[in-house]
Amino acid sequence: NAGVMQNPRHLVRRRGQEARLRCSPMKGHSHVYWYRQLPEEGLKFMVYLQKENIIDESGMPKERFSAEFPKEGPSILRIQQVVRGDSAAYFCASSPVDRGSFEQYFGPGTRLTVT
Amino acid sequence: AQSVAQPEDQVNVAEGNPLTVKCTYSVSGNPYLFWYVQYPNRGLQFLLKYITGDNLVKGSYGFEAEFNKSQTSFHLKKPSALVSDSALYFCAVSFQTGANNLFFGTGTRLTVIP
């Protein structure tokens, strides 16, 4: 059973470009979470999605950021017009159930560098 | 407001000695508590969790943690540290009601000295 997959592992974008980060949850998991980790900091929640639904996007910046989890295919975190402050590691996690008591399984992350 | 604190940025311990990584939390209601470990350039790996029941929770790689409600703490422990335990450790909390996302502490870097 493959774990949570994220690609690309490393992404370099110039200021103003778009970044697309992909996450394939573990098989059988229909709940996906995105977190951002700035250097030397803990992870900060961004958005929680189920298939075709955004459940909680309270941690996502209001502008330039969007996320989706379509019926088929991976979850996508999209950052438009990237700025240097977007440079961070972005982690996706998945779980099989809609319960806070259940641990989340994390992917290896995508490290975004904005030049 | 919900928060998780890891008061130590760095913990150094000699190989073979017991280790403790501290975590305290501030939440309304009953929390679910988790420990994760992160190795360089890797994602987080789940170590253990406290949901309910016995205050002492045993997890992966010989780690355990003790839930202390009166002190609102959930310290991670291991009786005998290994060099391979050197990593970044995160305490996290979620809640019985409402959002299922995790709130993370800022992390503690554990270095086990041979």
Side-chain angles (χ1 to χ4, degrees):
Chain A
N1 185 10
V4 177
M5 311 275 283
Q6 288 187 251
N7 68 82
R9 293 291 305 275
H10 300 275
L11 182 62
V12 179
R13 285 285 178 267
R14 291 199 179 112
R15 278 182 299 170
Q17 290 185 320
E18 178 180 288
R20 279 186 174 239
L21 288 63
R22 295 174 184 76
C23 169
S24 296
M26 287 181 71
K27 189 175 180 180
H29 289 196
S30 58
H31 304 266
V32 167
Y33 307 80
W34 284 93
Y35 295 86
R36 177 165 64 177
Q37 183 181 31
L38 295 171
E40 302 304 319
E41 291 189 14
L43 280 72
K44 296 284 195 297
F45 167 74
M46 298 181 74
V47 61
Y48 164 39
L49 310 104
Q50 297 176 17
K51 286 280 187 182
E52 300 184 280
N53 280 309
I54 297 175
I55 306 302
D56 181 355
E57 56 183 348
S58 59
M60 198 123 85
K62 295 287 186 283
E63 296 178 354
R64 303 187 297 108
F65 285 72
S66 62
E68 63 177 13
F69 188 16
K71 187 176 179 182
E72 301 291 338
S75 174
I76 307 283
L77 179 67
R78 183 179 175 209
I79 312 172
Q80 294 179 291
Q81 298 176 327
V82 296
V83 301
R84 287 224 173 95
D86 297 332
S87 295
Y90 292 82
F91 290 95
C92 167
S94 72
S95 72
V97 295
D98 181 16
R99 280 205 306 272
S101 60
F102 205 93
E103 61 271 23
Q104 296 175 14
Y105 294 85
F106 283 80
T110 294
R111 276 153 185 83
L112 172 66
T113 302
V114 179
T115 61
Chain B
Q2 335 287 12
S3 66
V4 178
Q6 292 181 245
E8 300 159 317
D9 291 335
Q10 173 86 38
V11 169
N12 297 327
V13 63
E15 186 178 20
N17 282 4
L19 69 87
T20 299
V21 183
K22 295 179 181 176
C23 172
T24 59
Y25 63 91
S26 172
V27 301
S28 53
N30 294 319
Y32 299 129
L33 294 154
F34 301 80
W35 276 101
Y36 285 83
V37 60
Q38 185 180 29
Y39 295 100
N41 299 315
R42 303 277 295 277
L44 276 69
Q45 294 179 32
F46 168 74
L47 278 179
L48 51 77
K49 67 180 178 183
Y50 172 81
I51 303 302
T52 187
D54 201 352
N55 289 343
L56 185 63
V57 178
K58 293 189 183 296
S60 307
Y61 312 119
F63 283 93
E64 58 189 30
E66 186 166 12
F67 173 64
N68 187 319
K69 189 170 185 177
S70 63
Q71 296 185 5
T72 62
S73 67
F74 189 55
H75 300 331
L76 181 71
K77 300 181 180 186
K78 187 172 182 181
S80 178
L82 301 172
V83 173
S84 57
D85 293 329
S86 299
L88 193 53
Y89 289 81
F90 289 99
C91 181
V93 63
S94 67
F95 305 98
Q96 290 185 3
T97 58
N100 294 329
N101 56 281
L102 292 166
F103 291 87
F104 282 88
T106 51
T108 298
R109 186 167 301 281
L110 172 68
T111 301
V112 180
I113 302 162

